[in-house]
Amino acid sequence: MSADPRAAALGPLRAAAQAQPNIALVKYWGKRDAALNLPVVGSISITLDSLWTRTEVRFVPGSTLDRFSFNGRTHDVEMKRVVACLDLLRQRAGVTWGAEVDSLNNFPTAAGLASSASGFAALVCAGSQALGLELSETERSLLARRCSGSAARSVFGGYVEWARGELADGSDSVARLLLPAAAWPLRVAVAITSTVAKEVGSSEGMRRTTQSSPFQASWIATQEADLTMARNAILAHDFDALALVSEHNCLKMHALALAAQPGLLYWNGATVECMHRVRALRREGVPVFFTVDAGPQLKAVCAPQAIEQVKAVLNGVPGVLDVLDAGLGAGARSISNAELTT
Ligand code: PMV
């Protein structure tokens, strides 16, 4: 151990945290500042429960090297973003120590399941705790946003709104809790239709869309109305209204991205067939709607009593490899050693 007096005062310099992915019902697509991850529009999401990222961070005084392992392997692709996130935490704490980061996911990554949201929310939570930074959820959300936009929302559980904000420094572009999970415990079935990493990541997809889609201005102009409708539906527990606005906003985001040059086509055949099946179920009176992010997985959000039927229908769609099932859960939080290894 080093003789750094700061380290002695801070204690073990190690902490672990868990965060879950969130699924946007009113989507974030497009950045007004790419360096600060400031969005062109606000967004609303739900945080899941049974899918998680668990991350352990250890700072090593005297070392300037960072090490990152993901599911037991070094991960060069994400290393740059992990180091950038650690730099924000180190800057805040006034230290330059290297860190060892070990992260585990219990769900397929990089295929539109928002692994960066749970990943960076967990990293900010564990890293800030390891450095003895006493941050509010709002401060953690601001830091997580800098690392990956949608991570700002996974700091909170349940129903969450991330404000676009107006300020150039991004200090008002932060997420907040709209409604706790227990107040309206909807369920989500995730139809996995591919486990291959997507061709165009969300940052590049957003950049291309903002630069070339002819629908960009209408996307921005109509988002406020969708946010208001979704917020009101959530606060009133109005499933039908939330279904209408969520499917509309999802299809609108994809229409915007499809019209970029070259067009961004995140769906495969099974994704589209799942959309038809979900709509057919709703026509039969089953409370369910779909949403799809920048990948081919389809997320079906439903009332708790409908989950088994929804899973069975999605499982029967040709091309669906698996159907995961989650409820709504808590925000990013510290976990013990015992939880880290179970
Ligand atoms: O935060 P990112 O870079 O993972 O982008 C997320 C983009 C969408 O998932 C498509 C929409 C959203 O609001 O989560």
Side-chain angles (χ1 to χ4, degrees), residues 22 24 26-29 43 116 148-150 153 202-203 206 253 293-294:
N22 69 75
V26 178
K27 310 284 186 194
Y28 152 49
W29 198 253
S43 53
S116 64
S148 166
S150 55
R153 297 185 309 233
S202 54
S203 289
M206 288 185 202
M253 181 202 103
D293 291 301

Side-chain angles (χ1 to χ4, degrees), residues 91-296:
Q91 211 172 42
R92 186 89 185 219
V95 300
T96 52
W97 308 324
E100 295 179 353
V101 179
D102 291 295
S103 209
L104 274 182
N105 261 18
N106 73 340
F107 60 96
T109 53
L113 263 185
S115 62
S116 64
S118 52
F120 286 104
L123 180 57
V124 165
C125 185
S128 58
Q129 217 213 324
L131 287 174
L133 293 168
E134 282 173 20
L135 303 182
S136 66
E137 281 182 319
T138 301
E139 289 172 304
R140 292 214 301 257
S141 173
L142 281 167
L143 278 175
R145 187 209 76 223
R146 299 272 306 269
C147 309
S148 166
S150 55
R153 297 185 309 233
S154 275
V155 168
F156 297 90
Y159 299 79
V160 180
E161 177 161 5
W162 169 23
R164 174 194 187 276
E166 298 301 324
L167 301 174
D169 70 357
S171 53
D172 58 347
S173 184
V174 65
R176 70 181 172 105
L177 175 73
L178 280 181
L179 188 73
W184 196 23
L186 296 180
R187 298 290 295 266
V188 183
V190 182
I192 305 288
T193 64
S194 166
T195 52
V196 178
K198 60 196 169 203
E199 265 169 53
V200 184
S202 54
S203 289
E204 165 57 18
M206 288 185 202
R207 196 192 55 76
R208 196 187 292 176
T209 304
T210 308
Q211 279 182 0
S212 62
S213 178
F215 305 144
Q216 181 68 11
S218 355
W219 167 246
I220 295 173
T222 56
Q223 186 81 343
E224 218 40 63
D226 290 1
L227 287 168
T228 303
M229 187 168 171
R231 196 185 304 121
N232 290 342
I234 288 165
L235 296 177
H237 303 194
D238 182 341
F239 190 91
D240 293 343
L242 190 60
L244 284 185
V245 69
S246 300
E247 284 192 5
H248 168 66
N249 189 269
C250 161
L251 293 173
K252 191 164 54 175
M253 181 202 103
H254 285 276
L256 169 78
L258 279 163
Q261 277 175 336
L264 296 154
L265 179 49
Y266 286 112
W267 307 336
N268 58 34
T271 320
V272 177
E273 188 51 30
C274 287
M275 291 179 183
H276 287 299
R277 304 281 178 105
V278 165
R279 286 200 158 173
L281 274 173
R282 200 159 72 251
R283 276 196 300 275
E284 289 166 21
V286 178
V288 60
F289 64 85
F290 67 75
T291 190
V292 182
D293 291 301

